[in-house]
Amino acid sequence: MLQSLAFIFLFGMALGGIFKKLRLPGLLGMLLTGIILGPYGLKLIDQSVLGISSDLREIALIIILTRAGLSLNLEDLKKVGRPAVLMCFVPAAFEIIGMVILGPRILGLSVVEAAVLGAVVGAVSPAVIVPKMLQLMEEGWGTDKGIPQMILAGASVDDVFVIVMFAAFTGLAQGQQLSVFSFLQIPVSILLGAFMGAVIGIFLSWLFHTFHMRDSVKGVLILSISFLVVSLEDSWKGVLPFSGLLAVMSAGIFLQIKRPEVAKRLSVKYSKLWVAAEVLLFVLVGAAVDITYAWKSGGAAVILLFGVLIFRMAGVLCCMIKTKLSWKERLFSVIAYMPKATVQAAIGGVPLAMGLACGQVVLTVAVTAILITAPLGALGIDWTYKRLLAPRSEAGKQTV
């Protein structure tokens, strides 16, 4: 295991650094590292690491979403209002609808199989989007109109909607009845996750005010509580649905409201943690990608993917109706809401493991989605944000 972790960090950082020198996103180098070192490449990552790969990726997501919560200003988010809420589910719903329309025509799937596939590829990747939006918030690009805050919030909740839809559609594919309860889980999961996070954030603010402790200790304490919250989500599955990752981000937000000075210092600590977590996350996502599936699919999966992305883009644009965003800012929002990686790597192989007839096709398209949209989305964000977004105004700087 130690040798595998050494390879992950050494080669991941090296290739990530090379890609940055070439003015390409470092995560592309890390994804490539995972593909090369993983079980479908040179097999240099031990099975003991691959066996806990999903847990390690979840730890990395906890770190970046906590950092997002500690940095996300609710007042900035309120400026956006309605579009931020719509971004949580409208683009994904449009993409699922697009898959239901195009999937049977291009890949010969049934309507239910196309819906399962749509739920797999419909989620954006918070692992790609959240750190990019945090960078924009720190540099002040688009923050006056709350654009990175809107995209960050939407990407953090989008996955809740998509995973619930995935569970409902796979149940249908297995012959189960579709129940109202399945769809009620979406708002319940979001509201309970936000509420639980608020309670934790308020408790932590009281704890840090009452008892003196070093910032490093505070960081470890928050991290430990975050692990417990996310593990509770799995334990309570089917009994009380709530989003653990959303609770983690909500806790950071409420800690920031109550103790802004502490939140600012802890955000710096989490930024340092993210240096290692980012490498681990993207290398392990790359290791989950079997590139041979993409080759086998030919052009059909690629055509289908770009087809449903058009539906997704239309969904993003619908969220912007009656807003004050310029066409450039709307275009940036469309580009930034494209990347897919973490959810596809996590659930892409589930239909195949369940024995569904569409399992192989779902896995193939999920892999193709990662290989195409993660690089395109990351490149698109890096190459366009200074061209399409406005820098923070002097008034905005004074309020930060």
Side-chain angles (χ1 to χ4, degrees):
M1 179 184 280
L2 292 179
Q3 179 178 290
S4 298
L5 290 173
F7 286 153
I8 287 170
F9 286 114
L10 291 174
F11 290 112
M13 287 189 294
L15 269 183
I18 290 169
F19 272 65
K20 285 179 182 176
K21 288 287 185 183
L22 298 172
R23 297 187 177 181
L24 296 170
L27 70 88
L28 302 185
M30 297 171 201
L31 284 171
L32 183 59
T33 301
I35 292 170
I36 294 170
L37 298 181
Y40 309 107
L42 299 178
K43 298 181 174 64
L44 293 178
I45 300 179
D46 191 79
Q47 193 59 45
S48 59
V49 175
L50 295 173
I52 58 170
S53 174
S54 61
D55 295 315
L56 293 173
R57 295 200 304 265
E58 197 158 45
I59 289 170
L61 278 177
I62 287 170
I63 289 170
I64 194 59
L65 286 173
T66 304
R67 184 185 163 203
L70 293 169
S71 306
L72 186 60
N73 190 319
L74 274 186
E75 292 303 317
D76 289 339
L77 195 56
K78 286 177 184 176
K79 293 177 187 175
V80 187
R82 174 182 54 85
V85 176
L86 294 178
M87 290 283 276
C88 298
F89 65 93
V90 171
F94 268 59
E95 192 164 359
I96 292 171
I97 292 168
M99 189 65 77
V100 169
I101 294 170
L102 299 178
R105 290 166 174 79
I106 296 175
L107 294 180
L109 300 171
S110 69
V111 171
V112 174
E113 289 172 338
V116 171
L117 178 55
V120 171
V121 302
V124 294
S125 173
V128 178
I129 292 176
V130 172
K132 294 289 183 187
M133 294 306 108
L134 285 174
Q135 179 191 339
L136 266 59
M137 287 162 60
E138 289 165 3
E139 295 179 9
W141 290 93
T143 52
D144 285 353
K145 293 187 180 178
I147 295 167
Q149 295 93 324
M150 171 187 71
I151 294 169
L152 187 155
S156 304
V157 182
D158 169 277
D159 292 354
V160 178
F161 171 75
V162 169
I163 289 172
V164 171
M165 297 301 286
F166 173 73
F169 292 142
T170 50
L172 271 179
Q174 289 180 309
Q176 299 173 12
Q177 294 293 319
L178 196 62
S179 66
V180 176
F181 177 74
S182 300
F183 294 102
L184 281 176
Q185 288 184 65
I186 297 171
V188 171
S189 180
I190 292 169
L191 290 173
L192 279 180
F195 175 74
M196 181 174 287
V199 171
I200 293 168
I202 293 168
F203 167 73
L204 288 172
S205 68
W206 169 82
L207 189 68
F208 297 158
H209 178 71
T210 307
F211 301 98
H212 175 73
M213 59 185 81
R214 294 170 56 187
D215 287 340
S216 299
V217 175
K218 292 173 185 173
V220 172
L221 184 62
I222 294 171
L223 206 57
S224 302
I225 292 173
S226 299
F227 292 165
L228 286 173
V229 169
V230 174
S231 64
L232 275 178
E233 179 183 2
D234 296 328
S235 303
W236 292 355
K237 192 169 289 184
V239 180
L240 186 64
F242 78 97
S243 170
L245 291 176
L246 184 58
V248 165
M249 191 171 81
S250 177
I253 292 172
F254 277 86
L255 178 58
Q256 180 205 150
I257 292 170
K258 294 290 185 179
R259 304 278 290 163
E261 306 88 0
V262 174
K264 189 174 181 180
R265 295 198 305 269
L266 288 173
S267 180
V268 174
K269 296 283 186 185
Y270 270 84
S271 298
K272 294 174 181 176
L273 279 176
W274 177 242
V275 173
E278 180 184 34
V279 178
L280 197 62
L281 174 61
F282 288 113
V283 171
L284 290 176
V285 167
V289 171
D290 185 350
I291 203 165
T292 57
Y293 284 125
W295 291 120
K296 288 176 185 176
S297 70
V302 176
I303 293 168
L304 177 62
L305 187 62
F306 279 107
V308 296
L309 280 176
I310 293 171
F311 279 82
R312 181 175 196 84
M313 291 171 183
V316 174
L317 292 174
C318 282
C319 298
M320 311 293 159
I321 292 172
K322 293 186 178 180
T323 65
K324 295 181 180 179
L325 301 186
S326 68
W327 71 266
K328 285 185 177 181
E329 291 163 338
R330 296 179 193 218
L331 176 59
F332 175 80
S333 300
V334 166
I335 294 167
Y337 226 54
M338 183 191 305
K340 305 172 187 298
T342 38
V343 174
Q344 289 71 30
I347 66 174
V350 172
L352 184 62
M354 294 170 72
L356 298 182
C358 62
Q360 189 71 62
V361 174
V362 171
L363 182 56
T364 299
V365 179
V367 169
T368 307
I370 295 170
L371 293 173
I372 291 176
T373 64
L376 276 182
L379 284 170
I381 293 169
D382 284 352
W383 287 354
T384 63
Y385 75 92
K386 289 185 179 179
R387 296 176 175 87
L388 300 178
L389 300 180
R392 182 186 293 134
S393 65
E394 289 302 317
K397 289 177 184 177
Q398 290 169 9
T399 59
V400 175

